[in-house]
Amino acid sequence: MNAYADVSLFPRNAKPLNSYRKYWAARFGTAPFLPMSREEMTQLGWDSCDIIIVTGDAYVDHPSFGMAVIGRMLENQGFRVGIIAQPDWQSADPFKALGKPNLFFGVTAGNMDSMINRYTADRKIRSDDAYTAGDIGGKRPDRAALVYSQRCKEAYSDVPIVLGGIEGSLRRIAHYDYWSDKVRRSVVVDSKCDLLLYGNAERAIVEIAHRLAAKEPVQQITDVRGTAFVRRETPEGWFEIDSSSIDVPGRVEAHVNPYLMVSDQAKAQGETCAREDEANAVADAANAQAGSAQGFTISPLKFVDNPALQGKGKLKVPPRERSVIRLPAYEQVKSDPVLYAHANRVLHLETNPGNARALVQAHGEGHTARDVWVNPPPIPLTTAEMDLVFDLPYARSPHPAYADENGSHDGETKIPAWEMIRFSVNIMRGCFGGCTFCSITEHEGRIIQSRSEDSIIREIEDIRDKVPGFTGVISDLGGPTANMYRIGCKSPEIEAACRKPSCVYPGICQNLNTDHSSLIHMYRRARELKGVKKILIGSGLRYDLAVQSPEYVKELVQHHVGGYLKIAPEHTEGGPLSKMMKPGIGSYDKFKQMFDKYSAEVGKKQFLIPYFIAAHPGTSDEDMMNLALWLKRNGFRADQVQTFYPSPMASATAMYHSGRNPLGRVTRSSEVVDVVRGERRRRLHKAFLRYHDANNWPLLREALKAMGRADLIGNGKQHLIPTFQPQTDGAYVSARRKNSTVTPKAGGAKTGAAKVGFAKPSMRNEPMKGRVLTQHTGLPPRKKK
């Protein structure tokens, strides 16, 4: 998608963030830190806060942390903003610590989903929390967004609650909850918030704050993009498209080819993007005829006649900005997994700000019935607006409340997440990869929003000059993906009309501009800065995109790799890769050849660290066996393995829950997906990734025999695991490195190291120590690849 995110290409041009008249409280100036106590408020000369942000994370005043970004953005608009960080949720009293806010409470569970932060993929409780001082777990409640909202209402029942962050984004409609193994209601209903902000929240939060400051009732604020709320009925003037059932053949809408209204050149470029919609429209017509023949009652959308075309037999298509799609109700999807998959597919079709329509989903029946209304996604920030956000006066450190008596943030007061991103810089937002297990699409979206090179250089200089402990090494210049900076669609018109879930699957779209020159230039300029010794790339790399620019790969490998580079093939087999929407392993092989070549040119011995996912929907036992054989053949041993973690609302989660594939049209007879359930089978898939662990050999032997592959059991090089050995079975000793092992190939040559697991912990939803975190993603940030 377009790296420049020109808002003129999108409907209802957005008001620039810096165009609002500042609120009167701007006279108080900028706070060194947003206050966390009444004493700090007094020192600032405040008698009250206009807005109070309640967060599940320790307060770090840094652009990687959502509460800081939103707080500083609101301060920039002239509002007085206080922070209540990790309050004791057992009563409402801690939520009164700063007094009653004049405008609203802003609530976020934190940088990560609170359930993913607290529980492993096996539903076991974690003892640590990287976003808490001292790395102590249990400082926030389960489903923190709900609990915090309820306590805010108890504290001050008449104060509006604006809920945001990734926990809210992933739960804006009825969603599958992995921890209870059932479908839960929209967080809007359960939290009783007045507004939910999903995705990147700056534009929405600024507009809402100014409108509330102008005394507009929160109940009337229903037209802000990127928001969700409860309403009783569809207002007049809206066209409702019924997509609440798939029992009657047909799709959401037989879409008009979006490229008919653009130039001939753009039309030619966009034909491949439109082909799927056109094919489906033809299929829908045939299905509708078949349905009529079988006695179905089909109730299509009633289009309104265009007066200018009366008598000519033509109908006017309802405008997208006044169309709303009715999803299957909560009561339907909670008991019908196929309808759940259908609703998930519709949601993901409506993610492009250029053409997305509003969604509505009923909750409750009879007199308790109410609709959760979800407005289209927010208009992306322009480069100038991104610069404004990242150039705000952050202190770039944790609040002094977390310091010890010496003013240090080490030891028991250390916040691991802060340490991870202390010397890293976020250069962009969004990802057009569309990986089904990843939550970036649901939260940040596909539009790449890039900062200017000057803004990035200024931040590097600030780190060099102001951050204690800087040794000259920038740990990362990246984002959700390391190499999507300023990369996007060649045609703004096609981009605004596109409905594809990915620009790089099943192959790189012919309309995608894969030019890495802006990124190369920025790398070179950054490493020439005085006082900067090394700039590393810690974000995960989209290697199928990188190989389109050999110059970029050379630049990266020869100057920005510190011995190891993380990439994420995820699997080697076509079945699971097709359910992940990831490229084939051939792309990895091509990148590895380039990586080895350019490393050798400068005499460096460097290694790739590939990530793989165990137990992803669509993965058979044979697929995992073949992956294990590939790992052994290439000399990889993994000490740290993670299994698929179903995050709310992800497409892969819909597969996991429904057993159907939402990447295509969902019907009662649509493709059934092999779902890896049960402790034993999940353990087996993990065991294949750790084929070298003697503790796994008994399980693997039993499975291989059952699969008819006993030929892989033996003591030769061609075998995957050895025959029974009483002295070694169950006696595996961990490798010397905690996260990876270098294994010699035949002839003694070391080939690399592998850490098998998730590459984007909080978007792929698995926090891990030692990983670099990525920056702001709406109200909360999330971890990097």
Side-chain angles (χ1 to χ4, degrees), residues 686-760:
K686 291 174 68 174
F688 271 120
L689 287 179
R690 287 178 51 78
Y691 65 91
H692 55 282
D693 186 344
N695 293 300
N696 292 326
W697 291 345
L699 176 62
L700 290 174
R701 287 194 197 99
E702 180 185 347
L704 288 172
K705 290 175 182 177
M707 295 164 63
R709 294 305 309 270
D711 59 297
L712 294 177
I713 304 172
N715 299 321
K717 291 183 178 181
Q718 73 275 21
H719 297 116
L720 180 64
I721 57 173
T723 53
F724 181 67
Q725 299 175 7
Q727 305 247 341
T728 56
D729 273 19
Y732 176 74
V733 178
S734 179
R736 61 185 176 81
R737 289 179 60 88
K738 179 179 179 183
N739 292 332
S740 59
T741 305
V742 177
T743 307
K745 249 188 166 180
K750 292 184 177 180
T751 59
K755 178 167 61 179
V756 178
F758 287 98
K760 289 191 285 278

Coordinates of all heavy atoms in Angstrom, one line a residue, residues 686-760:
K686 N 5.2 -29.6 18.1 CA 6.4 -29.0 18.7 C 7.6 -29.9 18.8 O 8.7 -29.5 18.6 CB 6.1 -28.5 20.2 CG 5.1 -27.4 20.2 CD 4.7 -27.1 21.7 CE 5.8 -26.5 22.5 NZ 5.3 -26.1 23.8
A687 N 7.3 -31.2 19.0 CA 8.4 -32.2 19.1 C 9.1 -32.3 17.7 O 10.4 -32.5 17.7 CB 7.8 -33.5 19.5
F688 N 8.4 -32.2 16.6 CA 9.0 -32.3 15.3 C 10.0 -31.1 15.1 O 11.1 -31.3 14.5 CB 8.0 -32.3 14.2 CG 7.5 -33.6 13.8 CD1 6.2 -34.0 14.0 CD2 8.4 -34.6 13.4 CE1 5.7 -35.2 13.6 CE2 7.9 -35.9 13.0 CZ 6.6 -36.2 13.1
L689 N 9.7 -29.9 15.7 CA 10.6 -28.8 15.6 C 11.8 -29.0 16.4 O 12.9 -28.5 16.2 CB 9.9 -27.5 15.9 CG 8.9 -27.0 14.9 CD1 8.3 -25.7 15.4 CD2 9.6 -26.7 13.6
R690 N 11.7 -29.8 17.5 CA 12.8 -30.1 18.4 C 13.1 -31.6 18.3 O 13.2 -32.3 19.3 CB 12.5 -29.7 19.8 CG 12.5 -28.2 20.0 CD 12.1 -27.8 21.4 NE 12.9 -28.5 22.5 CZ 14.1 -28.2 22.8 NH1 14.7 -27.2 22.2 NH2 14.7 -28.9 23.8
Y691 N 13.3 -32.0 17.1 CA 13.6 -33.4 16.8 C 14.9 -33.9 17.5 O 15.1 -35.1 17.7 CB 13.8 -33.6 15.3 CG 15.0 -32.9 14.7 CD1 16.2 -33.5 14.6 CD2 14.9 -31.6 14.3 CE1 17.4 -32.8 14.2 CE2 16.0 -30.9 13.8 CZ 17.2 -31.5 13.8 OH 18.3 -30.8 13.3
H692 N 15.8 -33.0 17.8 CA 17.1 -33.3 18.4 C 17.0 -33.5 19.9 O 18.0 -33.9 20.6 CB 18.1 -32.2 18.1 CG 17.6 -30.8 18.6 ND1 16.6 -30.1 17.9 CD2 17.8 -30.1 19.7 CE1 16.3 -29.0 18.6 NE2 17.1 -29.0 19.7
D693 N 15.9 -33.2 20.5 CA 15.7 -33.3 22.0 C 15.3 -34.7 22.3 O 14.3 -35.2 21.9 CB 14.6 -32.3 22.4 CG 14.4 -32.2 23.9 OD1 14.9 -33.1 24.6 OD2 13.7 -31.3 24.4
A694 N 16.1 -35.4 23.1 CA 15.9 -36.8 23.5 C 14.6 -37.0 24.2 O 14.0 -38.0 24.2 CB 17.1 -37.3 24.3
N695 N 14.1 -35.9 24.9 CA 12.9 -36.0 25.6 C 11.7 -36.3 24.6 O 10.7 -36.8 25.0 CB 12.6 -34.8 26.4 CG 13.6 -34.6 27.5 OD1 13.6 -35.4 28.4 ND2 14.3 -33.5 27.5
N696 N 11.9 -35.9 23.4 CA 10.8 -36.0 22.4 C 10.9 -37.3 21.6 O 10.0 -37.6 20.8 CB 10.9 -34.8 21.4 CG 10.5 -33.5 22.1 OD1 9.7 -33.4 22.9 ND2 11.1 -32.4 21.6
W697 N 12.0 -38.0 21.7 CA 12.2 -39.2 20.8 C 11.1 -40.3 21.0 O 10.6 -40.8 20.0 CB 13.5 -39.8 21.0 CG 14.6 -38.9 20.5 CD1 14.5 -37.8 19.7 CD2 16.0 -39.0 20.8 NE1 15.7 -37.2 19.4 CE2 16.7 -37.9 20.1 CE3 16.8 -39.8 21.6 CZ2 18.0 -37.6 20.2 CZ3 18.2 -39.6 21.7 CH2 18.8 -38.5 21.0
P698 N 10.7 -40.6 22.2 CA 9.6 -41.6 22.4 C 8.3 -41.2 21.7 O 7.7 -42.0 21.0 CB 9.4 -41.7 23.9 CG 10.7 -41.3 24.5 CD 11.2 -40.2 23.6
L699 N 7.9 -39.9 21.8 CA 6.7 -39.5 21.1 C 6.9 -39.5 19.6 O 6.0 -39.9 18.9 CB 6.4 -38.0 21.6 CG 5.2 -37.3 20.9 CD1 3.9 -38.1 21.2 CD2 5.1 -35.9 21.4
L700 N 8.0 -39.1 19.1 CA 8.3 -39.1 17.7 C 8.3 -40.5 17.1 O 7.9 -40.7 16.0 CB 9.6 -38.3 17.4 CG 9.5 -36.8 17.6 CD1 10.9 -36.1 17.4 CD2 8.5 -36.1 16.7
R701 N 9.0 -41.4 17.8 CA 9.0 -42.8 17.3 C 7.6 -43.3 17.2 O 7.3 -44.0 16.1 CB 9.8 -43.6 18.3 CG 11.3 -43.4 18.3 CD 12.1 -44.5 19.0 NE 13.4 -44.1 19.3 CZ 13.8 -43.6 20.5 NH1 12.9 -43.6 21.5 NH2 15.0 -43.2 20.7
E702 N 6.8 -43.1 18.2 CA 5.4 -43.6 18.1 C 4.7 -43.0 16.9 O 4.0 -43.7 16.2 CB 4.7 -43.3 19.4 CG 3.3 -43.8 19.5 CD 2.6 -43.4 20.8 OE1 3.3 -42.9 21.7 OE2 1.3 -43.4 20.8
A703 N 4.8 -41.7 16.7 CA 4.1 -41.0 15.7 C 4.6 -41.5 14.3 O 3.8 -41.7 13.4 CB 4.3 -39.5 15.8
L704 N 5.9 -41.6 14.1 CA 6.5 -42.0 12.8 C 6.1 -43.4 12.4 O 5.8 -43.7 11.3 CB 8.0 -41.9 12.9 CG 8.6 -40.4 12.9 CD1 10.1 -40.5 13.1 CD2 8.3 -39.7 11.6
K705 N 6.0 -44.3 13.4 CA 5.5 -45.6 13.1 C 4.1 -45.6 12.7 O 3.7 -46.3 11.7 CB 5.7 -46.5 14.3 CG 7.2 -46.8 14.7 CD 7.3 -47.6 16.0 CE 8.8 -47.9 16.3 NZ 8.9 -48.6 17.6
A706 N 3.3 -44.8 13.4 CA 1.8 -44.7 13.0 C 1.7 -44.1 11.6 O 0.7 -44.4 10.9 CB 1.1 -43.9 14.1
M707 N 2.6 -43.2 11.2 CA 2.5 -42.6 9.9 C 3.1 -43.4 8.8 O 3.2 -43.0 7.6 CB 3.3 -41.2 10.0 CG 2.6 -40.2 10.9 SD 3.7 -38.8 11.4 CE 4.0 -38.1 9.8
G708 N 3.6 -44.6 9.2 CA 4.3 -45.4 8.2 C 5.7 -45.0 7.8 O 6.1 -45.3 6.7
R709 N 6.3 -44.2 8.6 CA 7.6 -43.7 8.3 C 8.7 -44.1 9.3 O 9.5 -43.4 9.8 CB 7.6 -42.1 8.3 CG 6.8 -41.6 7.2 CD 7.2 -42.1 5.8 NE 8.6 -42.0 5.5 CZ 9.2 -40.9 4.9 NH1 8.4 -39.9 4.6 NH2 10.5 -40.9 4.7
A710 N 8.6 -45.4 9.7 CA 9.6 -46.0 10.6 C 11.0 -45.9 10.0 O 12.0 -46.1 10.7 CB 9.2 -47.4 10.9
D711 N 11.1 -45.7 8.6 CA 12.4 -45.6 8.0 C 13.2 -44.4 8.4 O 14.4 -44.4 8.2 CB 12.2 -45.6 6.5 CG 11.3 -44.4 6.0 OD1 10.1 -44.3 6.4 OD2 11.9 -43.5 5.3
L712 N 12.5 -43.5 9.1 CA 13.2 -42.3 9.6 C 13.8 -42.5 11.0 O 14.4 -41.6 11.6 CB 12.3 -41.1 9.6 CG 11.8 -40.6 8.2 CD1 10.8 -39.5 8.4 CD2 13.0 -40.2 7.3
I713 N 13.6 -43.7 11.5 CA 14.1 -44.0 12.8 C 15.4 -44.9 12.7 O 15.4 -46.0 12.1 CB 13.1 -44.8 13.7 CG1 11.8 -44.0 13.8 CG2 13.6 -45.1 15.1 CD1 10.6 -44.8 14.4
G714 N 16.5 -44.4 13.2 CA 17.7 -45.1 13.0 C 18.9 -44.3 13.4 O 18.7 -43.1 13.8
N715 N 20.1 -44.8 13.3 CA 21.3 -44.1 13.8 C 22.2 -43.6 12.7 O 23.3 -43.2 12.9 CB 22.1 -45.0 14.7 CG 21.3 -45.5 15.9 OD1 20.6 -44.7 16.5 ND2 21.5 -46.7 16.3
G716 N 21.6 -43.5 11.4 CA 22.4 -43.0 10.3 C 22.1 -41.5 10.1 O 21.1 -41.0 10.6
K717 N 22.9 -40.9 9.2 CA 22.7 -39.5 8.9 C 21.3 -39.3 8.2 O 20.8 -38.2 8.2 CB 23.8 -39.0 8.0 CG 25.1 -38.9 8.7 CD 26.2 -38.4 7.8 CE 27.5 -38.2 8.5 NZ 28.6 -37.6 7.6
Q718 N 20.8 -40.3 7.5 CA 19.6 -40.1 6.8 C 18.3 -40.3 7.7 O 17.2 -40.0 7.3 CB 19.5 -41.2 5.7 CG 19.2 -42.6 6.2 CD 20.4 -43.4 6.6 OE1 21.5 -42.8 6.9 NE2 20.4 -44.7 6.6
H719 N 18.5 -40.6 8.9 CA 17.4 -40.8 9.9 C 17.1 -39.5 10.6 O 18.1 -38.7 10.9 CB 17.7 -41.9 10.9 CG 17.9 -43.3 10.2 ND1 19.1 -44.0 10.2 CD2 17.0 -44.0 9.5 CE1 19.0 -45.1 9.6 NE2 17.7 -45.1 9.1
L720 N 15.9 -39.3 11.0 CA 15.5 -38.1 11.8 C 15.8 -38.3 13.2 O 16.3 -37.3 13.9 CB 14.0 -37.8 11.6 CG 13.4 -36.6 12.3 CD1 14.1 -35.3 11.8 CD2 11.9 -36.5 12.2
I721 N 15.5 -39.4 13.8 CA 15.7 -39.7 15.2 C 16.4 -41.1 15.4 O 16.2 -41.9 14.6 CB 14.5 -39.6 16.1 CG1 13.4 -40.6 15.6 CG2 13.9 -38.1 16.1 CD1 12.2 -40.6 16.5
P722 N 17.1 -41.2 16.5 CA 17.8 -42.5 16.7 C 16.8 -43.6 17.2 O 15.7 -43.3 17.6 CB 18.9 -42.2 17.7 CG 18.3 -41.1 18.5 CD 17.5 -40.3 17.5
T723 N 17.3 -44.9 17.1 CA 16.5 -45.9 17.7 C 16.6 -45.8 19.2 O 17.4 -45.0 19.8 CB 17.1 -47.3 17.3 OG1 18.5 -47.3 17.6 CG2 16.9 -47.5 15.8
F724 N 15.9 -46.6 19.9 CA 15.8 -46.5 21.4 C 17.2 -46.7 22.0 O 17.9 -47.6 21.8 CB 14.9 -47.6 21.9 CG 14.7 -47.6 23.4 CD1 14.0 -46.5 24.0 CD2 15.2 -48.6 24.2 CE1 13.9 -46.5 25.4 CE2 15.1 -48.5 25.6 CZ 14.4 -47.5 26.2
Q725 N 17.5 -45.7 22.9 CA 18.8 -45.7 23.6 C 18.5 -45.3 25.0 O 18.3 -44.1 25.4 CB 19.7 -44.6 23.0 CG 20.0 -44.9 21.5 CD 20.9 -43.8 20.9 OE1 21.3 -42.9 21.6 NE2 21.1 -43.9 19.6
P726 N 18.5 -46.3 25.9 CA 18.1 -46.0 27.3 C 19.0 -45.0 28.0 O 18.5 -44.3 28.9 CB 18.3 -47.4 28.0 CG 18.2 -48.4 26.8 CD 18.8 -47.7 25.6
Q727 N 20.2 -44.9 27.5 CA 21.1 -43.9 28.2 C 20.9 -42.5 27.8 O 21.3 -41.6 28.5 CB 22.6 -44.3 27.8 CG 22.9 -45.8 28.1 CD 23.9 -45.9 29.2 OE1 24.6 -45.0 29.5 NE2 23.9 -47.1 29.9
T728 N 20.2 -42.3 26.7 CA 20.0 -40.9 26.3 C 18.6 -40.4 26.2 O 18.3 -39.3 26.3 CB 20.7 -40.7 24.9 OG1 20.1 -41.6 24.0 CG2 22.2 -40.8 24.9
D729 N 17.6 -41.4 26.0 CA 16.2 -41.0 25.9 C 15.8 -40.2 27.2 O 16.0 -40.7 28.3 CB 15.4 -42.2 25.8 CG 15.2 -42.6 24.3 OD1 16.0 -42.2 23.5 OD2 14.2 -43.4 24.0
G730 N 15.2 -39.1 27.0 CA 14.8 -38.3 28.1 C 15.9 -37.6 28.9 O 15.6 -37.1 30.0
A731 N 17.0 -37.5 28.3 CA 18.2 -36.9 29.1 C 18.8 -35.8 28.3 O 20.0 -35.5 28.3 CB 19.2 -37.9 29.4
Y732 N 18.0 -35.1 27.5 CA 18.5 -34.0 26.7 C 19.0 -32.8 27.5 O 18.4 -32.4 28.5 CB 17.4 -33.5 25.7 CG 17.9 -32.3 24.9 CD1 18.8 -32.4 23.8 CD2 17.4 -31.0 25.2 CE1 19.2 -31.4 23.1 CE2 17.8 -29.9 24.4 CZ 18.7 -30.1 23.4 OH 19.1 -29.0 22.6
V733 N 20.2 -32.3 27.2 CA 20.7 -31.1 27.9 C 20.6 -29.9 26.9 O 21.0 -30.0 25.8 CB 22.2 -31.4 28.3 CG1 22.8 -30.2 29.0 CG2 22.3 -32.6 29.2
S734 N 20.1 -28.8 27.4 CA 20.0 -27.6 26.6 C 21.3 -27.2 26.0 O 22.3 -27.3 26.6 CB 19.3 -26.5 27.4 OG 19.2 -25.3 26.7
A735 N 21.2 -26.6 24.8 CA 22.4 -26.1 24.2 C 23.0 -24.9 24.9 O 22.4 -24.3 25.8 CB 22.0 -25.7 22.7
R736 N 24.2 -24.6 24.6 CA 25.0 -23.6 25.3 C 24.3 -22.2 25.2 O 24.4 -21.4 26.1 CB 26.4 -23.5 24.8 CG 26.5 -23.1 23.3 CD 28.0 -23.2 22.8 NE 28.1 -23.0 21.4 CZ 28.1 -21.8 20.9 NH1 28.0 -20.7 21.6 NH2 28.2 -21.6 19.6
R737 N 23.6 -21.9 24.1 CA 22.9 -20.7 23.9 C 21.5 -20.8 24.3 O 20.9 -21.8 24.1 CB 23.0 -20.2 22.5 CG 24.4 -19.7 22.1 CD 24.4 -19.2 20.6 NE 23.4 -18.1 20.4 CZ 23.7 -16.8 20.6 NH1 24.9 -16.5 21.0 NH2 22.9 -15.9 20.4
K738 N 20.9 -19.8 25.0 CA 19.6 -19.9 25.5 C 18.6 -20.0 24.3 O 17.6 -20.7 24.4 CB 19.3 -18.7 26.4 CG 17.8 -18.7 26.9 CD 17.6 -17.5 27.8 CE 16.1 -17.5 28.3 NZ 15.8 -16.4 29.1
N739 N 18.8 -19.2 23.3 CA 17.8 -19.0 22.3 C 18.1 -19.8 21.0 O 17.3 -19.9 20.1 CB 17.6 -17.6 21.9 CG 16.9 -16.8 23.1 OD1 16.2 -17.4 23.9 ND2 17.2 -15.5 23.2
S740 N 19.3 -20.2 20.8 CA 19.7 -20.8 19.5 C 20.9 -21.7 19.6 O 21.7 -21.5 20.6 CB 19.9 -19.7 18.4 OG 20.9 -18.9 18.8
T741 N 21.1 -22.6 18.7 CA 22.2 -23.5 18.7 C 22.8 -23.5 17.3 O 22.2 -23.6 16.3 CB 21.7 -24.9 19.0 OG1 21.0 -24.9 20.2 CG2 22.9 -25.8 19.1
V742 N 24.1 -23.3 17.2 CA 24.9 -23.5 16.0 C 25.3 -24.9 15.8 O 25.9 -25.5 16.7 CB 26.1 -22.6 16.0 CG1 26.9 -22.8 14.7 CG2 25.7 -21.1 16.1
T743 N 24.9 -25.5 14.7 CA 25.1 -27.0 14.5 C 26.0 -27.2 13.3 O 25.7 -26.6 12.3 CB 23.7 -27.7 14.2 OG1 22.8 -27.3 15.3 CG2 23.9 -29.2 14.2
P744 N 27.1 -28.0 13.5 CA 28.0 -28.2 12.4 C 27.4 -29.1 11.3 O 26.6 -30.0 11.6 CB 29.2 -28.9 13.0 CG 28.6 -29.5 14.3 CD 27.5 -28.6 14.7
K745 N 27.6 -28.7 10.1 CA 27.2 -29.5 8.9 C 28.2 -30.6 8.7 O 29.3 -30.6 9.3 CB 27.0 -28.6 7.7 CG 25.6 -28.5 7.2 CD 25.6 -27.7 5.9 CE 24.3 -27.8 5.2 NZ 24.2 -27.1 4.0
A746 N 28.0 -31.4 7.7 CA 29.0 -32.4 7.3 C 30.2 -31.7 6.9 O 30.2 -30.7 6.2 CB 28.4 -33.3 6.1
G747 N 31.4 -32.2 7.4 CA 32.6 -31.5 7.1 C 33.0 -30.5 8.1 O 34.1 -29.9 8.0
G748 N 32.1 -30.3 9.1 CA 32.5 -29.4 10.2 C 32.2 -27.9 10.0 O 32.4 -27.1 10.9
A749 N 31.6 -27.5 8.8 CA 31.3 -26.1 8.6 C 30.0 -25.7 9.4 O 29.0 -26.4 9.3 CB 31.1 -25.9 7.1
K750 N 30.1 -24.6 10.1 CA 29.0 -24.1 10.8 C 28.0 -23.4 9.8 O 28.5 -22.6 9.1 CB 29.4 -23.2 11.9 CG 30.1 -23.9 13.1 CD 30.4 -23.0 14.2 CE 31.1 -23.7 15.3 NZ 31.4 -22.9 16.5
T751 N 26.8 -23.7 9.9 CA 25.8 -23.2 8.9 C 24.9 -22.1 9.5 O 24.3 -21.4 8.7 CB 25.0 -24.3 8.4 OG1 24.2 -24.9 9.4 CG2 25.8 -25.4 7.7
G752 N 24.7 -22.1 10.8 CA 23.8 -21.0 11.2 C 23.2 -21.4 12.6 O 23.5 -22.4 13.2
A753 N 22.3 -20.5 13.0 CA 21.6 -20.8 14.2 C 20.1 -20.6 14.0 O 19.7 -19.8 13.2 CB 22.1 -19.8 15.3
A754 N 19.3 -21.2 14.8 CA 17.8 -21.1 14.6 C 17.2 -21.0 15.9 O 17.4 -21.7 16.9 CB 17.3 -22.4 13.9
K755 N 16.3 -20.0 16.0 CA 15.4 -19.9 17.1 C 14.0 -20.0 16.5 O 13.5 -19.2 15.7 CB 15.5 -18.5 17.8 CG 14.5 -18.3 18.9 CD 14.9 -17.1 19.8 CE 14.9 -15.8 19.0 NZ 15.2 -14.7 19.9
V756 N 13.3 -21.1 16.8 CA 12.1 -21.4 16.2 C 10.9 -20.9 17.0 O 10.8 -21.2 18.2 CB 11.9 -22.9 16.0 CG1 10.6 -23.2 15.4 CG2 13.0 -23.4 15.1
G757 N 10.1 -20.0 16.4 CA 9.0 -19.5 17.2 C 8.4 -18.3 16.5 O 8.7 -18.1 15.3
F758 N 7.7 -17.4 17.2 CA 7.1 -16.3 16.6 C 8.1 -15.1 16.4 O 8.9 -14.9 17.2 CB 5.9 -15.8 17.4 CG 4.8 -16.7 17.4 CD1 4.6 -17.7 18.4 CD2 3.9 -16.7 16.3 CE1 3.5 -18.5 18.3 CE2 2.8 -17.5 16.3 CZ 2.6 -18.4 17.3
A759 N 7.9 -14.4 15.3 CA 8.8 -13.3 15.0 C 8.2 -12.0 15.4 O 8.9 -11.0 15.6 CB 9.1 -13.3 13.5
K760 N 6.9 -11.9 15.5 CA 6.2 -10.6 16.0 C 5.5 -11.0 17.3 O 4.3 -11.3 17.3 CB 5.2 -10.1 15.0 CG 5.9 -9.5 13.8 CD 4.8 -8.8 13.0 CE 3.9 -9.7 12.3 NZ 4.3 -10.2 11.0

